[in-house]
Amino acid sequence: AGWTASIWVIIFLAELTFAVGQLTPSLRAKPALHRVTPWWCVTCLCQVLWAVFTMLEYFVMASACTVAVLVCLLRLAWGPSVDGGCLEYCLLRVPFSLHAGWMAAIMVVDASTLAAAKGAGPETLMAMAIGSLAALFVIAAAFAIAAPRPEPLGCLAIAWAAAGIAAALQDDYGHYAKSKQHP
């Protein structure tokens, strides 16, 4: 569903807060920031490449970039230990956890997009969409249980995506059911 893309506003505002926070002397002196910066730079590069490949409809390359972004974001969300309280958590974990959850959702949607580009039929695409929801629930469980520190914000982004996928499936199923009724 189109409304799900509005999460980008929250993600980018959180990442802007991180970027501006890096300019402050107190955060710039934190060792955690020095561990985060290289991963953040690679994430940004892969995100730009993902956007370009998606626009050009190079779906295999876009999917590879999605996986690369997700790996970098998981490293950012699960990697650095945040010992500086709420402010440090908001600057060093919130943006990356939200973005990682959202990129996990994009990864499963990219698989369906790739299948559609390769000519998969409606039944296959519907099965992939349902499988995507199952995959998202597994990934959300990983955020909640398997991560070094439970990360609820990744789960929140995945729940947002799952709601959008469910809404889109409901619309798609309605169109599919109508096409089967009227030969």
Side-chain angles (χ1 to χ4, degrees):
W3 51 265
T4 57
S6 64
I7 197 170
W8 281 116
V9 173
I10 298 166
I11 291 169
F12 287 146
L13 285 175
E15 290 175 351
L16 176 65
T17 303
F18 162 74
V20 171
Q22 291 183 79
L23 301 175
T24 64
S26 61
L27 187 61
R28 199 171 38 231
K30 300 277 185 187
L33 181 67
H34 298 283
R35 291 189 304 269
V36 163
T37 301
W39 290 98
W40 171 243
C41 292
V42 173
T43 300
C44 291
L45 174 64
C46 291
Q47 184 83 28
V48 168
L49 291 173
W50 169 79
V52 170
F53 289 136
T54 299
M55 181 185 65
L56 295 173
E57 297 184 1
Y58 295 153
F59 297 121
V60 172
M61 294 303 294
S63 295
C65 288
T66 300
V67 172
V69 169
L70 180 59
V71 167
C72 291
L73 288 168
L74 288 175
R75 176 68 174 96
L76 288 166
W78 294 350
S81 177
V82 177
D83 301 324
C86 185
L87 178 63
E88 207 170 298
Y89 177 82
C90 289
L91 291 174
L92 293 176
R93 294 277 299 282
V94 168
F96 310 127
S97 295
L98 279 172
H99 198 165
W102 188 247
M103 288 309 290
I106 288 175
M107 184 178 67
V108 298
V109 170
D110 275 358
S112 295
T113 302
L114 186 58
K118 298 291 183 185
E123 292 86 0
T124 301
L125 293 175
M126 182 62 74
M128 286 187 73
I130 293 167
S132 295
L133 285 173
L136 284 177
F137 292 132
V138 169
I139 295 167
F143 268 98
I145 299 168
R149 289 167 305 280
E151 195 49 64
L153 295 171
C155 296
L156 180 65
I158 289 171
W160 181 261
I165 291 170
L169 283 175
Q170 188 175 20
D171 290 346
D172 288 347
Y173 182 75
H175 296 300
Y176 175 74
K178 286 179 185 174
S179 72
K180 290 296 184 186
Q181 291 174 357
H182 305 330

